[in-house]
Amino acid sequence: MAEKIGTPENGHNAWGQAVAAVALFAVIAAGLWVSEATSGNSGPPAATCSDEEPGKSTGRVTGKQLCEALLRPDLAELLGTPTETAKTAFGNDGSAGLEGGKDIPMPTAEVEFDTYTVTLSATYDDLPVTASYDVLGWDETQRTVLGRPAVLYSNRTIRINFRLDGGDAESGTGVPLRSVMVAQDAKDSGGSYDVTLWRSDGMVPDDAVLLRVAEKVLPTVPGWTAGS
């Protein structure tokens, strides 16, 4: 995907570049998989979003609000791993930078379990989800989710290994992920929500699990209005 942003194919216009940049940022910012060479760590306490600092009042959903929507009591059950407890949970109010200096607000939340990591992001741009169908070369599937246009697509996390001897960190391709991008309104007038899953064992996440999580979590995001 990085090659498509830097050297778009002939016929790809600014819309395509913007969609590609936003999608790539979502995968990198919300899908970072970090591996540390440490041992003997005890299990962390149950995760909570309560320590997140509130974002500025912008009229948009914040990373903390996304975290609170994602970290629901039945999330492990929705993932098919009911005995697991969330290890970490956080939200942030980041943005995606595009050529020309424009920043697109993209608050993001992430919850990590032993088996799955789940991210939820909101992208505030003017791009319809349907514009991504033919623009990007994703392994994509068009869907309707909760009455709104949506697309399923694949990518991979980024793996970073930190050296205990102080040497340079090494990075590479991580585990496969599956995402669903859902329009923020039924008219697909611009903006989207992304729900992403990846597994610690490197297996490709099941789309049925991904859609089950998305269909339960998205209606609880502040500002979501059923049927609109």
Side-chain angles (χ1 to χ4, degrees):
M1 286 179 60
E3 293 180 358
K4 291 176 185 173
I5 296 171
T7 55
E9 298 178 8
N10 293 335
H12 283 200
N13 54 24
W15 278 63
Q17 296 177 37
V19 174
V22 170
L24 179 64
F25 184 89
V27 170
I28 293 176
L32 188 63
W33 184 58
V34 179
S35 174
E36 298 187 50
T38 58
S39 61
N41 292 333
S42 59
T48 175
C49 299
S50 60
D51 293 333
E52 299 293 334
E53 295 182 3
K56 296 179 180 179
S57 177
T58 61
R60 298 185 292 266
V61 68
T62 66
K64 179 182 178 181
Q65 289 173 323
L66 290 177
C67 183
E68 290 171 342
L70 187 58
L71 189 61
R72 47 189 293 142
D74 62 349
L75 182 57
E77 184 176 353
L78 292 173
L79 292 169
T81 56
T83 62
E84 294 185 1
T85 301
K87 300 190 297 182
T88 62
F90 65 88
N92 69 74
D93 296 321
S95 61
L98 302 180
E99 290 186 24
K102 181 180 180 180
D103 285 336
I104 296 177
M106 186 183 292
T108 303
E110 177 181 299
V111 177
E112 180 187 4
F113 293 86
D114 285 332
T115 301
Y116 283 100
T117 299
V118 192
T119 67
L120 170 63
S121 63
T123 303
Y124 291 92
D125 55 17
D126 298 324
L127 303 178
V129 167
T130 49
S132 71
Y133 291 169
D134 299 321
V135 171
L136 295 177
W138 288 331
D139 173 19
E140 63 181 29
T141 303
Q142 300 177 30
R143 294 291 297 257
T144 298
V145 175
L146 298 168
R148 305 181 184 193
V151 59
L152 287 160
Y153 63 95
S154 300
N155 212 295
R156 283 184 175 269
T157 61
I158 294 176
R159 174 179 52 81
I160 299 179
N161 295 317
F162 294 101
R163 296 172 59 91
L164 295 180
D165 60 7
D168 293 339
E170 299 177 351
S171 63
T173 301
V175 298
L177 58 78
R178 286 291 281 170
S179 300
V180 58
M181 177 189 291
V182 182
Q184 289 193 4
D185 59 63
K187 295 180 179 179
D188 197 17
S189 56
S192 61
Y193 297 103
D194 276 72
V195 179
T196 298
L197 297 182
W198 69 91
R199 294 176 58 107
S200 60
D201 58 12
M203 295 179 63
V204 178
D206 190 329
D207 285 351
V209 175
L210 173 63
L211 292 171
R212 183 166 64 233
V213 172
E215 289 171 352
K216 289 292 186 180
V217 170
L218 289 177
T220 68
V221 173
W224 179 282
T225 302
S228 65

